[in-house]
Amino acid sequence: MAAHTTYSYDVLVIGAGGAGLRAAIEAANSGVTVGLICKSLLGKAHTVMAEGGMAAAMAHNDDRDSWKVHFADTMRGGQYVNNWRMAEIHAKEAPDRVRELEGWGAVFDRTPDGRINQRNFGGHRYPRLAHVGDRTGLELIRTLQDHTTYLGVTVHMEHTVIEVILDGGRAAGVLAYDRERGRFHVFSAKAIVLATGGIGRAYQITSNSWEGTGDGHALAYRAGAQLIDMEFVQFHPTGMVWPPSVRGLLVTEGVRGEGGVLRNSEGRRFMFDDIPDNYKPQTAADEEEGWRYVMHDKTARRPPELLTRDHVARCIRREVKAGRGSPHGGVFLDIAWIKERIPNAEEHIKRKLPSMYHQFKELADLDITKEPMEIGPTTHYVMGGIKVDADSQESTIPGLFAAGECAAGINGANRLGGNSLSDLIVFGKRAGEYAAQHARKGAPPKVDDGAVERSIKASLAPFERGASGENPYKVQQDLQETMQALVGIVRTESEMQEAIKKLAAFNERAARVGIEGHREYNSGWHTCIDLRNLLDVSETIARSAIERRESRGGHFRDDYPDKVAEFGTFNIATKRQPDGSMTVSRVPLAEIPPELKQVIEEQKQ
Amino acid sequence: MSQATFRIWRSEPGGGAGAFKNYTTEISEGMVVLDAVHKIQAEQAPDLACRWNCKAGKCGSCSAEINGKPRLMCMSRLNSINLDEPVTVEPMRTFPLIKDLVTDVSWNFRTKKGLKKFKPRKPDAPDGTWRMAQQDIDRVQEFRKCIECFLCQDVCHVLRDHDKHEEFIGPRFFVYAAALEMHPLDTDDRLADLKDKSNIGYCNITKCCTTVCPEHIHITDNAIIPLKERVVDSFYDPVSRLLRMISG
Ligand SMILES: Cc1cc2nc3c(=O)[nH]c(=O)nc-3n(C[C@H](O)[C@H](O)[C@H](O)COP(=O)(O)OP(=O)(O)OC[C@H]3O[C@@H](n4cnc5c(N)ncnc54)[C@H](O)[C@@H]3O)c2cc1C
Ligand code: SF4
Ligand code: SF4
Ligand code: FES
């Protein structure tokens, strides 16, 4: 059988985005040995693309802000199916985690009095996002990456984890392969942290990179861990729609935070037409008030363009369906108009949104300081993921931890912009801390050779089938089209049942994929490996979405368009049974303690 | 819908023998070179190796040489390239080849490790935070836009033609060093290292690095030249030399 090398660490972190790096730092600081595995080069993970900022109630720009307001905003955004304890920890700890970055060299934009500047974002009551222009993710990842460099963490770049292996029901190690040589490696570890990011690649139109194939979700699922909330996928309202090759690429919400408005083909600001009741008290009554909000007038309420993402995305879809869309099937997002209001608008836009300016100029030949952009919804983020303990981030499998986008709970049914980057550092730190703690008391695990050999054999099977097998890219494309069409922004029972049938067929095709060439840096082979993850993840999404017979947050059902109180009392969980089948169950939400209930009530006014 | 031909470097694994191979594919409006490479990968050459992540010029993964110029494949629009001739796409030549368009850039990660890390002054406020004015960090923020695409390293003749990888850190890391040296909070001194270990003196300001930087960082004018001046001021200026001798 194929030869493989073996590594052994106290804590093994899988993923080098914000969550994985932060976990590695914390574990290394506590004195245990740490290995870090990532699919790309260091510093290239998805986190690098984050634009708008990270949310933390530091109250620099508005002293009315506090963790309580942030907590209440997060719960409201999540439609109250969040893990309340995670939302509480997040709101309380985010400010310290952000400040700590400054001590590690991060250079955030400043307020006039020299503190970290904070910007407005959808669903956040006060300006709360620490940012660096519109490249906050780059600042975060580079700061963490550079800090990690000096901590003795061993980084295995361009290695892909294929399987998590258990020993007597607890995490014992992983099987991975390196892209450069195509060789297999076994890593044993006393504790494992999954920080593998999102699932966007299950859909045709997405802001996610090739890495977003839900690996951590699928690895944990196949190992028998529980996933929750998989029906909650966030479709970001503003992705590029033209040219075709960049369809789905994100246009930061920061554009709207800086005064960008949405208009249909008739020039109407349609967001004013549909403001949900629970957001009415906080939403501007007219365009004038909305503009005052953008200009930091504290008595003004925010413009409806900054309502939650799920809502804005559906309004856009409605306009397009009603024939009021833009030429390429989106609507217009206009920031250029602010020149009617402020002098030097052009300079202002370029300074506040430099990479958006750059992106449109170079990829769409469009100058956003002069013309409106065309935008439409794009698959962006998954609220669902591995179920974890709020304090320790441990999954339902002992010794297996999860943090960042692949873990679930903090966001409930919908994530607020900016809450992900702060989630990464708050819970990345906790995962690293508790994983190290777990490692210190654990005995060295044993990685079962039989399991390793079985996994290697399955991974190499596509080579045996060679060119006569199915083309893996084709299966992936068909899967993405199916998820987009049948389990997308607006869902119905019959379409999702059809999707389940199709998924079964894709599973059969995936079992026949074939690939030619060598194992070295073979993208086709990699796609074969991704496929299995995408299929598992897609099925958890579809089955969870069928089970939730209501509409809430990122999950909208045409056949059940209203929110149903009963569905607000549980999360939907998926779990793999020993025979390989998927079970769907309801997990009751923990009771919110009275003092936090009160916080939520106070903030409702 | 029209067609274009791409002349792509294909190699044996392990950096072995290689040659250009032509692929003709359909192209549509708005496509970039990376789209064409992906299309070829999906339809004609599934084992073609290339790196990419963001497709938006933000991650610095997809560096290559397109018609001889170091560029990001994802930011090279086909309508800005002459398609009457085959478009040549080859890996960065300054780094060892892994396969096809993928090179071994690990030297860059090792080189960074050799530079002194950020060392902030004591916090300004009792809550452990600092105060900095925006105008004092504008320059540092320019440097921190770097996406580590290593195109500047690829084009710099000191590395490319003279192979001084062991003695010379290259433009990317002058930018990195400048970001630390000009960081208002940093207290360490990297000038001696820049002079003796990193050999900033080898740079003869050809500005090739600045020309290729996709982030439009003024590598030479804003980073390298000011660093060179600081080195000169502190080591060759008689007054500061004397001060150094006295202070040890
Ligand atoms: C364009 C864009 C803009 C965004 N803007 C914002 C914003 O302004 N504010 C905000 O809060 N959020 C934003 N988000 C969301 C946020 O960026 C992500 O949710 C977050 O970065 C995810 O971080 P992570 O650490 O969980 O995972 P990632 O950064 O996705 O990293 C995942 C890591 O896991 C590794 N990995 C995955 N699978 C495997 C495997 N099988 N084996 C080994 N390694 C593996 C990858 O290589 C990678 O290193 C944005 C997202 C996008 C796409
Ligand atoms: S200016 Fe200096 S660093 Fe830049 S390419 Fe020329 S020699 Fe190299
Ligand atoms: S300085 Fe510019 S060219 Fe050099 S690595 Fe950074 S972004 Fe790339
Ligand atoms: S793919 Fe990220 S820079 Fe080209």
Side-chain angles (χ1 to χ4, degrees), chain A residues 183-199:
Chain A
R183 290 188 187 150
F184 294 98
H185 306 275
V186 175
F187 294 76
S188 71
K190 294 177 187 165
I192 297 172
V193 179
L194 292 170
T196 52
I199 58 97

Side-chain angles (χ1 to χ4, degrees), chain B residues 195-215:
Chain B
K195 175 171 154 291
D196 301 325
K197 272 171 67 185
S198 317
N199 288 304
I200 193 168
Y202 290 3
C203 161
N204 56 344
I205 322 194
T206 57
K207 297 205 182 183
C208 310
C209 50
T210 307
T211 315
V212 301
C213 177
E215 284 293 316

Side-chain angles (χ1 to χ4, degrees), chain B residues 143-168:
Chain B
F143 300 149
R144 292 183 66 88
K145 284 193 312 191
C146 170
I147 56 174
E148 300 202 326
C149 63
F150 307 129
L151 288 172
C152 56
Q153 309 287 70
D154 183 43
V155 81
C156 176
H157 68 101
V158 182
L159 299 170
R160 192 181 178 106
D161 303 329
H162 305 287
D163 227 358
K164 296 280 186 202
H165 293 75
E166 296 313 312
E167 300 157 51
F168 183 74

Side-chain angles (χ1 to χ4, degrees), chain A residues 225-409:
Chain A
Q226 213 172 36
L227 306 188
I228 56 166
D229 292 341
M230 290 303 289
E231 69 277 28
F232 296 125
V233 175
Q234 181 168 75
F235 300 93
H236 194 290
T238 59
M240 288 175 81
V241 297
W242 195 91
S245 62
V246 293
R247 193 174 184 122
L249 203 64
L250 194 77
V251 179
T252 174
E253 189 167 321
V255 175
R256 284 168 286 148
E258 298 296 341
V261 299
L262 292 168
R263 288 188 215 279
N264 61 22
S265 58
E266 297 162 3
R268 186 175 172 76
R269 268 181 82 177
F270 55 87
M271 287 308 301
F272 275 106
D273 301 341
D274 183 1
I275 300 168
D277 287 336
N278 58 336
Y279 278 95
K280 278 213 170 101
Q282 299 169 32
T283 306
D286 51 29
E287 300 196 7
E288 213 38 58
E289 184 179 355
W291 174 250
R292 283 195 286 118
Y293 178 85
V294 173
M295 288 288 96
H296 311 295
D297 177 343
K298 289 186 182 168
T299 64
R301 295 166 299 173
R302 62 175 162 243
E305 274 85 2
L306 291 177
L307 286 164
T308 51
R309 291 177 174 176
D310 53 309
H311 181 73
V312 180
R314 278 194 300 276
C315 290
I316 292 172
R317 187 177 178 276
R318 183 195 61 213
E319 292 303 306
V320 175
K321 276 211 141 174
R324 294 187 293 266
S326 65
H328 300 100
V331 295
F332 296 104
L333 171 62
D334 189 4
I335 181 83
W337 81 282
I338 66 171
K339 62 179 176 268
E340 296 164 19
R341 301 279 181 153
I342 56 169
N344 299 329
E346 215 179 299
E347 277 318 300
H348 180 82
I349 294 168
K350 284 189 199 163
R351 192 167 51 79
K352 287 288 185 179
L353 303 162
S355 54
M356 278 306 105
Y357 174 76
H358 205 63
Q359 183 173 316
F360 274 89
K361 191 89 193 132
E362 306 213 0
L363 294 175
D365 256 336
L366 184 139
D367 182 345
I368 66 167
T369 69
K370 299 202 167 67
E371 291 170 82
M373 303 158 242
E374 270 188 77
I375 56 88
T378 179
T379 312
H380 184 54
Y381 183 90
V382 63
M383 277 67 77
I386 302 159
K387 182 174 160 51
V388 290
D389 172 70
D391 289 81
S392 69
Q393 299 292 105
E394 193 165 16
S395 73
T396 52
I397 294 176
L400 185 65
F401 297 76
E405 190 168 341
C406 71

Side-chain angles (χ1 to χ4, degrees), chain B residues 170-237:
Chain B
R172 158 60 190 135
F173 296 107
F174 292 130
V175 169
Y176 182 71
L180 291 166
E181 282 293 296
M182 298 181 200
H183 195 307
L185 304 185
D186 184 71
T187 56
D188 219 327
D189 183 345
R190 297 167 187 79
L191 295 179
D193 284 355
L194 281 169
K195 175 171 154 291
D196 301 325
K197 272 171 67 185
S198 317
N199 288 304
I200 193 168
Y202 290 3
C203 161
N204 56 344
I205 322 194
T206 57
K207 297 205 182 183
C208 310
C209 50
T210 307
T211 315
V212 301
C213 177
E215 284 293 316
H216 308 295
I217 299 172
H218 298 91
I219 304 177
T220 24
D221 289 357
N222 289 351
I224 297 181
I225 295 175
L227 284 180
K228 277 175 175 269
E229 284 168 0
R230 287 180 185 209
V231 168
V232 168
D233 286 349
S234 105
F235 292 98
Y236 305 105
D237 171 61

Side-chain angles (χ1 to χ4, degrees), chain B residues 9 20 63-65 89-95 97 99-103 154 160:
Chain B
W9 187 260
F20 283 107
S63 309
E65 297 184 11
V89 186
E90 58 190 312
M92 290 194 283
R93 294 297 188 187
T94 298
F95 302 111
L97 187 63
K99 184 169 172 252
D100 304 333
L101 300 177
V102 175
T103 53
D154 183 43
R160 192 181 178 106

Side-chain angles (χ1 to χ4, degrees), chain A residues 83-134:
Chain A
N83 177 323
W84 63 264
R85 175 69 182 147
M86 281 176 85
E88 181 194 12
I89 292 174
H90 171 252
K92 282 182 174 166
E93 296 181 2
D96 279 345
R97 294 289 82 75
V98 172
R99 289 189 198 109
E100 165 180 88
L101 294 173
E102 194 151 81
W104 297 346
V107 186
F108 291 100
D109 287 358
R110 317 310 292 180
T111 59
D113 64 351
R115 295 188 294 171
I116 295 173
N117 195 14
Q118 301 187 264
R119 72 156 47 117
N120 286 315
F121 233 60
H124 293 281
R125 187 156 199 167
Y126 301 118
R128 191 176 283 146
L129 268 65
H131 62 276
V132 185
D134 51 8

